[in-house]
Amino acid sequence: MSPSSAPGGRGVPRARGSGGVPQERSAEIGVFGGSGFYSFLDDAVEIAVETPYGEPAAPLTIGTVGGKRVAFLPRHGRRHELLPHRINYRANLWAMREVGVTRLIGPCAAGSLQPAVAPGDFVVLDQLVDRTSGRADTFYEGPVAHHVSYADPYCGALSGVAVESARAAGITVHPTGTVVVIQGPRFSTRAESRWYRNQGWEVINMTQYPEAYLARELGMCYAAIALITDYDTGVEGEAGAKPVTQAEVFGFFKSNLDRVRTLLFDVVAAIPDKRSCSCAEAAGPPPS
């Protein structure tokens, strides 16, 4: 059964696919939530979307922000029940595609690997290093072959909107940064963190891959806004920076929800109606 022909369930309307989605159930911009970030749309409608890759983390919530239709999906599930290595990234991305999303924003919690990137800062990522394993990370598993250029993992145009919006709001933002994506759910050892830091990488996270890459395969623009919550295993030579804990990450993100929400609203409102990048050109033939 295709996603567009699947029956509804539990009283939640189902999207009919990007080619036939009613206006009130469609969106042009999508937002994936990070740790501790679940909902920000007022007066919105919930839509369940079936995909060829199984169920997404939750129904999509669609509403209007800054005059634009926005679809929100908590990547970890409503109760944060999905650990990073158990998220169905393909279903999440496909669900966004089904309701018409072409631009995606991925706010996320991240640890800092460098003293100059402090907790409370925002980093708009421009590069990533994949250290995950065993995750379903492509829509192309044969017989259709499609090799995607990924030299620049994030959309420069959409990332630029995020940087300018943060600066206009007086937020401390780093306009570039490399994220190393680890498998999780455990945090790094001191040796691993030292290795990442010595490579010059700025932040560490568990969800950016394959989320960002799958967006590229579908020809979507994707920008990641990382809120720094901690210093990973600590900063060598600074006794006050202790190794990260789960409680610290969740608590810090929760206490900064208003800042994240305000920045997201500003970014969404500033996104141009038409795309000026080449992200759409990455989309290949329909996956088998």
Side-chain angles (χ1 to χ4, degrees):
M1 183 176 291
S2 71
S4 59
S5 62
R10 297 186 182 180
V12 180
R14 291 191 175 274
R16 297 204 301 265
S18 57
V21 181
Q23 179 65 30
E24 69 275 10
R25 300 176 188 174
S26 65
E28 55 196 299
I29 298 167
V31 174
F32 285 123
S35 298
F37 186 77
Y38 295 111
S39 179
F40 70 87
L41 297 179
D42 299 321
D43 301 323
V45 60
E46 266 195 5
I47 298 180
V49 183
E50 276 191 3
T51 83
Y53 306 97
E55 293 290 330
L60 276 67
T61 302
I62 299 179
T64 302
V65 175
K68 297 180 174 66
R69 298 292 290 172
V70 180
F72 172 76
L73 177 62
R75 62 165 72 86
H76 290 282
R78 283 174 164 166
R79 300 176 303 280
H80 206 100
E81 69 272 23
L82 300 173
L83 295 172
H85 67 295
R86 301 294 294 173
I87 293 171
N88 190 340
Y89 294 96
R90 292 193 297 184
N92 286 355
L93 269 296
W94 197 269
M96 288 289 193
R97 173 185 180 273
E98 282 289 286
V99 298
V101 167
T102 58
R103 266 84 71 88
L104 278 166
I105 305 170
C108 61
S112 172
L113 296 168
Q114 305 295 339
V117 182
D121 291 0
F122 285 89
V123 180
V124 177
L125 305 173
D126 72 321
Q127 282 295 325
L128 69 76
V129 177
D130 172 29
R131 294 287 299 167
T132 66
S133 62
R135 300 183 181 188
D137 62 356
T138 182
F139 293 108
Y140 293 91
E141 297 183 316
V144 176
H146 182 56
H147 302 280
V148 176
S149 174
Y150 203 53
D152 298 301
Y154 299 96
C155 175
L158 189 56
S159 296
V161 173
V163 171
E164 291 307 313
S165 296
R167 286 173 171 167
I171 293 173
T172 300
V173 60
H174 301 264
T176 61
T178 296
V179 59
V180 54
V181 190
I182 62 174
Q183 176 71 356
R186 70 170 178 85
F187 293 115
S188 303
T189 66
R190 292 186 187 278
E192 289 168 336
S193 189
R194 185 182 305 116
W195 174 35
Y196 304 149
R197 186 164 55 251
N198 288 343
Q199 299 305 309
W201 304 331
E202 284 81 14
V203 301
I204 186 167
N205 168 267
M206 298 180 187
T207 58
Q208 278 297 292
Y209 189 87
E211 186 174 280
Y213 174 69
L214 291 171
R216 180 64 57 82
E217 277 198 345
L218 294 179
M220 296 176 173
C221 299
Y222 184 98
I225 304 173
L227 171 64
I228 303 304
T229 60
D230 58 85
Y231 275 119
D232 200 36
T233 62
V235 179
E236 293 181 355
E238 296 187 20
K242 297 180 180 179
V244 62
T245 65
Q246 175 178 297
E248 179 184 4
V249 174
F250 284 14
F252 194 94
F253 205 98
K254 184 176 181 180
S255 68
N256 282 270
L257 278 177
D258 287 345
R259 295 178 67 218
V260 178
R261 173 176 170 158
T262 298
L263 177 55
L264 283 173
F265 275 27
D266 290 347
V267 173
V268 168
I271 295 175
D273 292 336
K274 294 184 179 180
R275 295 202 275 180
S276 60
C277 61
S278 60
C279 294
E281 298 173 8
S288 299

